[in-house]
Amino acid sequence: MVHINPVTTLDVTDGIAVIKVNNPPVNALGHAVREGLFEALTQAVADADVKAIVLGCDGRTFFAGADITEFGRPLQPPGLQEVIAAFEASPKPIVAAIFGTALGGGLELALGCHFRVASADARVGLPEVKLGILPGAGGTQRLPRLVGPEKAVAMIVAGAPVTAKAALADGVIDEIVADLIPGAIAFAQNVLAEGKTLVKVRDRDEKLAAARENPAGFEAAAKAALKKLAGVEAPAACAQSVRNSFTLPFEEGLKAERDLFLKLVTGDQSLAQRHIFFSEREAAKVPDMPAGVKSAALKKAVVIGGGTMGGGIAMCFANAGVPVTIVETTDEFLQKGLDRIKSTYAVSVERGALKQDAMDKRLALIAGTTDWNVIADTDIVIEAVFEEFALKKEIFGKLDKIAKPGTLLASNTSTLDVDAIAAATSRPEDVVGMHFFSPANVMKLLEIVRGEKSSFPAIATAVAAGKLLAKIPVIVGNCDGFVGNRMLARRTTECERLLLEGAAPQDVDAVVQKFGFPMGPYAMGDLAGLDVGWRIRKHRGITAPVSDALCEAGRFGQKTGKGYYIYENGARTPTPDPAVTKLAAEKAEALGVNRRNITEQEILERMTYPMINEAARILEERIAVRASDIDVVWAYGYGWPVWRGGPCFYADLIGAKAICEALEHYAEITGDAGLKPAKLLLDLAASGGKFADIGVAKKAAA
Ligand code: CAA
């Protein structure tokens, strides 16, 4: 075996050259890898003993793509396109041996090889769209030649990887092999033995010819793929580039792909998406955690409470293959909870998102009991009962008595003081908050609330649990509302004010949706139920004249057919209601609020700047340790568009100075001192600094 460079080896045995790369963690195609591949290929092609070549990787995966940290920096040759062109031009057959995840540039390199074999559990895909770019190394030109432009556009715009089985069925790979490298070598020997002619993917035209004849099929597929993606640049560029695959000659299509790539990669949307990619990985890291802290095993779980939240959390465990027991107070509540879980899974089966046998397997992992002794033998307990302190205190006292030492005791509280809950036990070090978002089985965000006494192993175990449950864990400090809801409260206050000042719910929702949120705040409120906020306001002695009046009139939102909007005959789409504007006008008059025309710009600022201001306070108090953590919370828990990078990223684009000036103005017109810029924001404005510079240093994404 020859070491071509520190990350690449070349081994020639019996006429087959095996080129291998080992560049942990994910064999990203950085400069050293590209250089090593180019050199290894050159040597293999020049070596008269070599008749065929196998391309593989060591470590946990085949190439997971270009090295994203190199984006935005001057590219060091050879470029990936150059490497791929060299592989494609090889006169000797090349077989890519795929395992793990062949993604982005990794799959594009494999498409430059003459053949592809994969292990059964491999997945392949072109996820670039999720980084705000398009496959820039020939993926949009070569994939359509294998699977047809209709399938390619769906796959590239969605960016979701497919299984080896699906890839085989679609012609992306040629064979699934049991033992990867020996299997790839055997495949190569077979190619030689059969004297197969080498057809480059770029030269295949059958599926393109079909699309040329029937472009309407492609256009329909593109339209379906792009649905609900207005305002986002990368998906449309992906579709255009796939369209080029059958309307332009290969080289021209490749050039157009490159131009689109370069345009996108330097734009704000891609910068934002790369920021979120790195930030979500960073958010679970605890800066002061000593090295070597281990998380506990998570073999068995208990969830206290079988309501919507508890049931959703139990489903997450079952989905991850972990046996979970729900503890309820009565058999009746328990049965209700278990039935709800069953019907939620059944809906997924009906929709075709889940197979019946998978549902059965998951249900078999969920047990229920009214006997608290089950807690004695579990690794993690997540309490998910009604949000009432006295009740939670009682439960944690009970958990303390029954659970074995070292069991993680977590509360799924969204508002209560985690330290006070921990104080109900004799082991506050084992207690954390694990704030799931509703529906818990769907939403990705998990705020892990670090209490004053939470131990490092407890935090590490909570993070491990979050990852096991396929969540995106973000560590936050203990305060009212933690990060997400604390910021949301600021927006909610502005929502009420805007109604009084003259905006209608539909005006505000339209601006927020245009910004990129899937729903506006009022439509969201109607969906969640306005009575929830009303109850909390009453409990805290807060009033919101318009919203309170709606609730007093029994308008709780979708469930009562009326809220901020009207929902006739069980409709789920909101219809504006002039009665709400009338009500707001009456309340404004009674309160002496001057009603006026409110511009879209003002609406947008008031829907975002007060939250940014609260984010600054959250950072001042170290409730979040990095500005990017706040961005992750909003992107995954509240629908902030990923391509806008989260509130702090967005604030950096606007600049702290402009935000401070606007906040001063809004503080003055509303008389709310809480809208005055936070000290940290003022400091950023004075120094020209950015949120991105606050907190723990992280990998450059730009
Ligand atoms: N470049 C640089 N670093 C990468 C990377 C990439 N393409 N992919 C992953 N990493 C890093 C992560 O940042 C992380 O670093 P830290 O440990 O320092 O936080 C580390 O590798 C491990 O990643 P994960 O924690 O995500 O590991 P995982 O096992 O959960 O997932 C994965 C592995 C499925 C490969 C996932 O990392 C992933 O989806 N990566 C991105 C894949 C991708 O988008 N590829 C396309 C790149 S763009 C491209 O290729 C453009 C082109 O056309 C030329």
Side-chain angles (χ1 to χ4, degrees), residues 25-26 60 64 66-68 105 108 128 131 135-136 277 281 285 699:
V26 296
R60 68 194 217 212
D67 185 336
I68 309 166
E108 291 175 297
E128 284 87 342
L131 298 170
F277 176 87
R281 282 157 179 80
K285 293 177 189 159
K699 250 185 251 176

Side-chain angles (χ1 to χ4, degrees), residues 25 67 69 277-279 281-282 285 696-702:
D67 185 336
T69 59
F277 176 87
F278 286 114
S279 301
R281 282 157 179 80
E282 206 68 13
K285 293 177 189 159
V696 192
K698 69 181 172 81
K699 250 185 251 176

Side-chain angles (χ1 to χ4, degrees), residues 253-294:
L254 215 52
K255 184 177 175 307
E257 177 194 87
R258 193 71 206 144
D259 291 346
L260 284 169
F261 178 88
L262 289 174
K263 188 163 165 254
L264 289 173
V265 83
T266 49
D268 285 343
Q269 292 195 2
S270 174
L271 199 58
Q273 287 180 255
R274 274 138 55 204
H275 162 74
I276 292 291
F277 176 87
F278 286 114
S279 301
E280 73 180 58
R281 282 157 179 80
E282 206 68 13
K285 293 177 189 159
V286 187
D288 56 339
M289 171 108 65
V293 172
K294 293 232 159 42

Side-chain angles (χ1 to χ4, degrees), residues 206-226:
E206 337 60 280
K207 299 212 167 148
L208 301 189
R212 259 180 236 116
E213 262 173 44
N214 174 23
F218 168 81
E219 293 307 334
K223 197 171 162 204
L226 291 173

Side-chain angles (χ1 to χ4, degrees), residues 10 12 17 41-51 92:
L10 174 65
V12 182
L41 179 76
T42 308
Q43 289 190 19
V45 170
D47 186 342
D49 287 343
V50 172
K51 305 291 176 227
K92 302 175 183 179

Side-chain angles (χ1 to χ4, degrees), residues 81 86 160 214 600 605:
Q81 297 85 340
N214 174 23
E600 280 191 23
E605 288 179 0

